[in-house]
Amino acid sequence: MAAPSLLNWRRVSSFTGPVPRARHGHRAVAIRELMIIFGGGNEGIADELHVYNTVTNQWFLPAVRGDIPPGCAAHGFVCDGTRILVFGGMVEYGRYSSELYELQASRWLWKKVKPHPPSSGLPPCPRLGHSFSLYGNKCYLFGGLANESEDSNNNVPRYLNDFYELELQHGSGVVGWSIPLTKGIMPSPRESHTAIIYCKKDSGSPKMYVFGGMCGARLDDLWQLDLETMSWSKPETKGTVPLPRSLHTASVIGNKMYIFGGWVPHKGENIETSSHDCEWRCTSSFSYLNLDTAEWITLVSDSQEDKKNSRPRPRAGHCAVAIGTRLYFWSGRDGYKKALNSQVCCKDLWYLDTEKPPAPSQVQLIKATTNSFHVKWDEVPTVEGYLLQLNTDLPYQTAAPDSSAAPNMQGIRVDSPRQGSNSTNSNSISDTVNSAKTEHTAMKGTSVKNKPDPKASIGPNAIVHSSLATNASNHNSCVVDVLRRNEGPHTSADIGVLSSCLDIRTVTPETSVSRTLSSTQTMVTQQTIKTESSSTNGAVVKDETSLTTFSTKSEVDETCALPATKISRVETHAAGVPFSKEIPSNPAATMKLGERQWCDVGIFKNNTALVSQFYLLPKGKQSISKVGNADVPDYSLLKKQDLVPGTGYRFRVAAINGCGIGPFSKISEFKTCIPGFPGAPSAVKISKNVDGIHLSWEPPTSPSENILEYSAYLAIRTAQIQDNPSQLVFMRIYCGLKTSCIVTAGQLANAHIDHTSRPAIVFRISAKNEKGYGPATQVRWLQGNNKRAPLN
């Protein structure tokens, strides 16, 4: 975590959509990039469900249906996958609830659920200000405030310290309440406290931590409950304990519990004084507890003033939600006006990055030309940009200075989450959570020759775009189109989760050969092959006698230049490394590769880049990019150099957030190409039939020469894949002039289900002309959650 003086708060502005009215006592949870807010009060109790998309910076009101609960405040609110549970809360002044509702966010469907009562004892009474925490398939309810009076106008508060366990059914529904027998001294009764659950990664049992709250006076005690032994204890802590407080928030990121805001005593007050004699105020103090070392660390003290409005102002009854390593805070009250007899609520939305972002996946190749690369990498959640760098063994030759940088190479501070489309959001969480995505990744490999061949194939001028055609009653076929454009990759949307759809990628070979296979079936696996010219990491073709075993010898008469490669989400090696060495990620080791400097390609808002030039650094500097509490380079003042045909370039990328630049990815290496090879087949279709599936495609739109043949391949199960799932093994299932083939049920029974993203069966299709095989179109036939039986 950054030092207190280096905290880089961001206030979100310029969002779109219906912004919810300011409030307090509301609750929020996160489903991937969505912050979902329910309830709270300010001039009446709110009953709307609001959603904020942290990627597109957009608020929207989903069209909920079903058993819609009444508005409530100070309720329990937890998220289990895409299911949200709401328990209790105040539904009107003096009247509290003990009802339980479930929201299926994938359909925005509310349902009132009735858990079985405990086998001994009463179910939880109506309450507010309780804690409701989820771990595994159980929710844990502790404490809160009940109304002792049956008359809602005559509120007689009763603080609670009862403890319940609620068992959930998988996916939807609940089993019932139980009252666990606990050991040790229980925490005193309280409400408006916080409770989180944490379990060490390597060892230890899950533990629930209860902090603060209100019981006639504000509290600052910390309690721990071991959920395996059900033993209560008070852990001894180090550091400065936060002031007594209630209506604060507690959020867990990693091994830290972050405490923000709440009601605290006035400065100089004796906190031991009765609450009736003590004035209370809101705070913006910010601390965390290291849950492994039990040490409190103060990040923003209660005495620190903020004259520049550079962080959230004091508040209580707000909401906080963690998305990745970023904390979001919204609304809450910051005081009470006795003259107006009303609360003063904040209307602002803030976020804070708690640590530098993790390293992205390796850079992947979408398209290569003679003097450019179109590259991508997997998105890192909640970042403000990416720094892309390259180096090469060629001498750096200065290009003409240019005062204008590429539009998406802006080295600028970003004061809000990455901006996206302002289009109206559909009333389904599947738009942003469950949408099937079509990823477009061209990955380079090599083929094998007995003698060196100076010819290298060119990647196609193709970007793959998916247009998924579905029918409510028939999901058996999907159509995927390949568009040849100089744009970034596209993704499909608004189709939800289908049991059968496609994900297409383009795979680009590096070299080709023209010999003949003696076997009718071809096994392709990625491993290192030494040739006379170089040792390459690419595709190997082996003769084989069965679907799952390699032959002891391989008579390589023709190599199908269709490289087996790692899927884009695998982080062990570069997806598309066409050279011999595994590239070290250690900067010191990297410098030995020609002792070349890393040069900035630019800072990009999104996770794709079209690279045709790079910036030359001042002599002796490894990198000049500094973001987050440091200088950002002015690229317009730097000289640029063009990429050169037939040249290898090494790439790495790092994510950027408010804490600065994170670690770099592992290194990928690609080569600019020479023209002459056919493009990738396009418009791939898969449909089921009685024999298996029908796989069809269209010829490359602009082949360099007449197409001599097509080859189609299927990734199959082998012991090698079980040991290393990222290393796919392909078997050729078709070779001929036709643009379609039947994949039999017997062949599909041996298919490998790739789980690097969504479960899918992987096919590859490539075309061959007089120069050899061109790039392959990789098709991921999505299988839903089925690990086998792809035809079901």
Side-chain angles (χ1 to χ4, degrees), residues 200-258:
K200 289 185 179 181
K201 289 183 179 180
D202 299 331
S203 62
S205 59
K207 295 177 175 59
M208 185 171 79
Y209 292 87
V210 175
F211 176 72
M214 173 71 174
C215 184
R218 269 72 181 183
L219 305 169
D220 64 352
D221 49 350
L222 177 71
W223 293 82
Q224 174 184 287
L225 174 66
D226 188 310
L227 294 179
E228 285 190 359
T229 63
M230 285 296 167
S231 300
W232 286 102
S233 62
K234 288 191 71 173
E236 294 185 4
T237 62
K238 297 172 285 186
T240 302
V241 177
L243 288 175
R245 65 191 62 212
S246 62
L247 295 171
H248 54 285
T249 55
S251 309
V252 176
I253 296 179
N255 65 344
K256 299 178 179 66
M257 178 178 72
Y258 291 92

Side-chain angles (χ1 to χ4, degrees), residues 16-80:
T16 60
V19 180
R21 73 179 189 266
R23 65 193 64 188
H24 62 94
H26 52 289
R27 300 289 187 261
V29 294
I31 299 180
R32 298 190 183 178
E33 72 270 23
L34 302 182
M35 180 171 69
I36 301 172
I37 296 171
F38 181 68
N42 184 23
E43 300 178 358
I45 295 178
D47 58 0
E48 311 97 350
L49 189 79
H50 289 267
V51 180
Y52 173 68
N53 188 315
T54 61
V55 173
T56 63
N57 205 16
Q58 180 183 26
W59 289 97
F60 66 95
L61 276 165
V64 295
R65 54 197 175 93
D67 304 324
I68 300 174
C72 57
H75 47 286
F77 200 54
V78 297
C79 180
D80 175 29

Side-chain angles (χ1 to χ4, degrees), residues 333-371:
R333 59 182 179 184
D334 68 350
Y336 181 79
K337 290 186 177 180
K338 292 183 179 180
L340 299 177
N341 192 29
S342 64
Q343 307 289 342
V344 179
C345 289
C346 310
K347 300 178 181 180
D348 47 356
L349 172 64
W350 293 78
Y351 70 82
L352 175 72
D353 289 310
T354 60
E355 57 188 60
K356 290 183 178 181
S361 65
Q362 288 173 296
V363 177
Q364 304 149 21
L365 185 64
I366 296 173
K367 180 182 69 174
T369 69
T370 55
N371 57 5

Side-chain angles (χ1 to χ4, degrees), residues 61 114 184 189 205 211 213 251 320 335 452 515 523 580 595 663 681:
L61 276 165
K114 296 182 179 180
S205 59
F211 176 72
S251 309
R515 301 188 62 183
M523 182 80 71
S580 60
E595 299 295 333

